[in-house]
Amino acid sequence: MTEKNTAQWDAGRFVKTLAYFGVIPFIGSISWLQQLFGSSNSSKKATPKLVLVAGATGGVGKRVIKRLQQRGYRVRCLVRDAKKAKEMLGKNVELVEGDITLPATLTPLVTNNVAAVICCTGTKVQPVEGDTPTREKYYQGIKFYMPEVVDVPEIVEYQGLNNLVQAVRSQLSQAGKKTIFDFTKPSEDLKETWGALDDIVMGGTSESSIRLADNSGLFAGNVSVANSGGFVSVRTRNFDPPIDLTGFSGIELRVKGDGKRYKFIIRSDAKWDGIGYCYSFDTVYNIWITVRIPFDELIPVFRAKTVKDCPKLDTSSISSLQLMLSKFEYDGALNPKFSPGTFQLQLESISAYGGQVLPKFVMVSSAGVTRPGRPGINLEEEPPAVRMNDMLGGILTWKLKGEDCVRSSGIPYTIVRPCALTEEPGGKALILDKGDNIKGKVSREDIAELCVRALEQPLACNETFEVKEGENEIAVGDWQGLFGSLNLVRT
Ligand SMILES: NC(=O)c1ccc[n+]([C@@H]2O[C@H](COP(=O)([O-])OP(=O)(O)OC[C@H]3O[C@@H](n4cnc5c(N)ncnc54)[C@H](OP(=O)(O)O)[C@@H]3O)[C@@H](O)[C@H]2O)c1
């Protein structure tokens, strides 16, 4: 044995490493061996998406909530009066108080973890002679009552919409990207999630750590080849539940390194010693770079040996991530950019990229928003909201400005412009159109369903369209076909 292979091995650090990753339930037990090679909890399902519904107590909003729940979403309701909302919506929904016209109320309590928004807010409009507490006259949408606005449309439809958009913009505008770790936002989770996993587990003496420094995560330490070692790494504990990256193309790292070659390892198996899917990447000394790791280019590896005929990574259930600096590439080949000694790799973020772009902000607007003042419009033939736009505080004009805030936000959106809303049963055929010309009516039930389905349809992304019901009673079965028809209609 050479001298470098007889360095002092630190048994205490070995035990601490295994304990961190939950491999040793308690010191002295031998069950860690079973855990090491056995148990898996990868059968747990990923958490469903959380959708924020604004205008949750409204005629469309309350129906949107029901349908979201039926389709398995988690729902958070933005309401102005939680007590009133609880009476109306029951106990089974999360309620947060807020008012879109008051930006200070749109706190992280409202926006945290929200994956999409369906906005069904609207200026309160009612018959001049008043309405019933359940707003029957206003809601039925067939018989005409002289309307009046109760709130100021500029403040609700435009400023309010803009406030809501701004509150969620940064988290929803990264189309096709999902941030997994953002090291620029310090959080205690780092210590709880990431831990060092060095060659100590094989008798080596290398030592590394990850900590927050300079607005980034700093993976640093010393790598030594003593005792036939030669690797350092940081690995996450198993995610619980696992992360679902279905539909994404790969992982994107934002890193600044030291010119060395590192490995990124991703696992979909919660076993400690299972197959890791690896990708080697080179860093550029002291320069921030973006590294893209396509899932298709990952190499399945078991204990540094490549595995032939291995199934592809199950991206629907990612259980852990690891970053490594190793003397070895794969199957005994040497890392050409390796040198023992100190190293450092700074991390800004780890994200998934190339995901399907789906609408993340669905706005219920109104047919007619571009008609007030449009040349060639015969007001006699137009619906009341268009005819009386001025009398109603320019409600449609301000709705159009609200739409503009959504369209220019960078958030993938769908803007739904219903014709006259009714309380009639849903389940009708729907007709979508562009150009703001159609007239008709449509059930709030069907609009709610349309909004929820839009969240799942790439073809609904960044579209603005009008909608009315057709003559026949055939409910929409083919949502993809319906949204696909938008490419065919005139603009
Ligand atoms: N009526 C029609 O024929 C027709 C036609 C086309 C489009 N539209 C539009 O379709 C949308 C949905 O209609 P709807 O009948 O469901 O409306 P709605 O019943 O009047 O509901 C409006 C919702 O917006 C909420 N809201 C109002 N101001 C708010 C604020 N400042 N902050 C937070 N929430 C606020 C209301 O909450 P509160 O319970 O606290 O008041 C209510 O939940 C509206 O934008 C409407 O203008 C209507």
Side-chain angles (χ1 to χ4, degrees):
M1 206 180 261
T2 60
E3 202 177 19
K4 71 176 183 185
N5 278 339
T6 58
Q8 185 74 43
W9 182 69
D10 186 342
R13 207 152 64 74
F14 169 71
V15 167
K16 257 165 89 185
T17 300
L18 295 183
Y20 179 88
F21 291 101
V23 179
I24 310 179
F26 58 91
I27 295 166
S29 157
I30 55 149
S31 64
W32 67 273
L33 276 173
Q34 290 156 357
Q35 285 213 11
L36 197 58
F37 299 108
S39 77
S40 159
N41 69 349
S42 62
S43 57
K44 286 198 182 173
K45 279 257 159 258
T47 319
K49 273 188 189 170
L50 174 65
V51 181
L52 177 71
V53 180
T57 48
V60 174
K62 65 184 181 194
R63 293 168 165 104
V64 162
I65 294 165
K66 264 204 195 128
R67 285 173 161 78
L68 283 169
Q69 289 176 328
Q70 282 163 1
R71 292 193 68 73
Y73 290 93
R74 288 186 296 141
V75 183
R76 181 177 295 158
C77 306
L78 177 67
V79 298
R80 290 194 282 190
D81 179 342
K83 194 164 166 271
K84 184 185 111 183
K86 198 168 176 183
E87 281 163 22
M88 178 188 256
L89 304 171
K91 281 185 270 174
N92 293 337
V93 286
E94 183 190 340
L95 302 173
V96 281
E97 271 190 353
D99 184 324
I100 59 168
T101 66
L102 305 170
T105 66
L106 303 176
T107 63
L109 278 181
V110 175
T111 58
N112 264 354
N113 301 320
V114 163
V117 175
I118 299 183
C119 180
C120 319
T121 54
T123 313
K124 191 163 182 179
V125 181
Q126 65 179 26
V128 170
E129 79 252 37
D131 205 348
T132 59
T134 48
R135 311 197 65 204
E136 280 147 7
K137 290 183 197 168
Y138 169 72
Y139 273 156
Q140 52 73 33
I142 300 164
K143 182 175 181 316
F144 177 71
Y145 291 96
M146 185 57 82
E148 66 178 3
V149 285
V150 181
D151 297 320
V152 182
E154 177 181 356
I155 295 177
V156 179
E157 308 288 352
Y158 169 51
Q159 292 172 15
L161 243 295
N162 194 32
N163 293 334
L164 184 60
V165 163
Q166 295 312 323
V168 293
R169 200 166 63 88
S170 65
Q171 75 197 71
L172 299 187
S173 58
Q174 288 197 327
K177 240 173 134 178
K178 177 172 179 163
T179 304
I180 305 170
F181 288 103
D182 181 353
F183 296 98
T184 65
K185 293 199 179 119
S187 98
E188 270 303 299
D189 289 356
L190 186 77
K191 274 206 304 272
E192 289 306 312
T193 311
W194 290 86
L197 177 48
D198 302 327
D199 57 16
I200 187 107
V201 292
M202 300 163 55
T205 63
S206 302
E207 191 161 7
S208 73
S209 67
I210 186 165
R211 63 190 165 86
L212 288 170
D214 294 339
N215 220 22
S216 64
L218 180 65
F219 169 37
N222 183 63
V223 60
S224 154
V225 292
N227 294 0
S228 303
F231 78 84
V232 280
S233 81
V234 280
R235 175 168 162 175
T236 63
R237 287 177 158 142
N238 280 336
F239 304 126
D240 187 13
I243 300 176
D244 184 356
L245 298 182
T246 308
F248 289 91
S249 310
I251 297 286
E252 189 176 284
L253 310 177
R254 186 82 189 133
V255 292
K256 185 168 86 173
D258 47 11
K260 293 185 172 159
R261 177 175 295 183
Y262 290 80
K263 272 182 200 165
F264 176 80
I265 306 167
I266 183 164
R267 289 178 173 81
S268 56
D269 182 341
K271 265 188 272 175
W272 163 259
D273 198 24
I275 287 177
Y277 292 76
C278 297
Y279 184 89
S280 298
F281 63 94
D282 292 336
T283 57
V284 181
Y285 177 75
N286 213 20
I287 301 226
W288 282 106
I289 57 168
T290 300
V291 179
R292 283 204 157 182
I293 303 171
F295 289 137
D296 281 349
E297 293 180 27
L298 290 166
I299 301 171
V301 169
F302 183 66
R303 298 186 190 165
K305 290 206 175 68
T306 53
V307 183
K308 302 269 169 294
D309 303 322
C310 185
K312 286 199 160 195
L313 175 77
D314 175 6
T315 55
S316 73
S317 183
I318 300 300
S319 53
S320 69
L321 306 180
Q322 188 173 5
L323 281 157
M324 179 180 277
L325 172 61
S326 172
K327 179 180 161 185
F328 293 103
E329 283 279 273
Y330 310 103
D331 301 322
L334 291 174
N335 174 354
K337 300 212 168 170
F338 178 81
S339 58
T342 55
F343 73 93
Q344 69 167 52
L345 180 71
Q346 259 176 288
L347 290 149
E348 220 167 59
S349 58
I350 301 180
S351 335
Y353 74 89
Q356 199 175 44
V357 183
L358 291 167
K360 291 185 179 168
F361 196 108
V362 178
M363 172 187 176
V364 181
S365 177
S366 177
V369 286
T370 67
R371 293 181 219 177
R374 191 208 285 174
I377 286 284
N378 180 355
L379 284 183
E380 298 303 305
E381 292 171 5
E382 288 299 321
V386 178
R387 273 201 320 268
M388 293 186 282
N389 184 50
D390 289 344
M391 203 192 94
L392 296 173
I395 189 165
L396 293 178
T397 312
W398 292 113
K399 257 191 203 303
L400 181 60
K401 285 206 160 248
E403 286 187 2
D404 289 340
C405 296
V406 176
R407 275 187 289 265
S408 62
S409 67
I411 306 174
Y413 64 86
T414 302
I415 295 174
V416 179
R417 293 172 169 172
C419 292
L421 289 171
T422 74
E423 289 286 292
E424 290 168 2
K428 304 270 171 44
L430 296 178
I431 296 167
L432 310 189
D433 199 14
K434 289 192 205 172
D436 196 14
N437 295 299
I438 59 171
K439 294 166 197 132
K441 61 179 176 112
V442 61
S443 159
R444 285 183 175 83
E445 299 283 353
D446 286 336
I447 291 300
E449 185 75 24
L450 182 76
C451 290
V452 172
R453 297 293 182 146
L455 291 177
E456 299 163 12
Q457 293 291 336
L459 292 171
C461 209
N462 299 340
E463 292 283 3
T464 300
F465 56 86
E466 298 74 51
V467 52
K468 65 174 182 175
E469 66 195 26
E471 296 299 313
N472 62 44
E473 298 280 324
I474 304 162
V476 180
D478 175 11
W479 290 94
Q480 194 177 341
L482 182 71
F483 287 112
S485 71
L486 286 169
N487 287 328
L488 307 174
V489 294
R490 64 176 181 264
T491 53

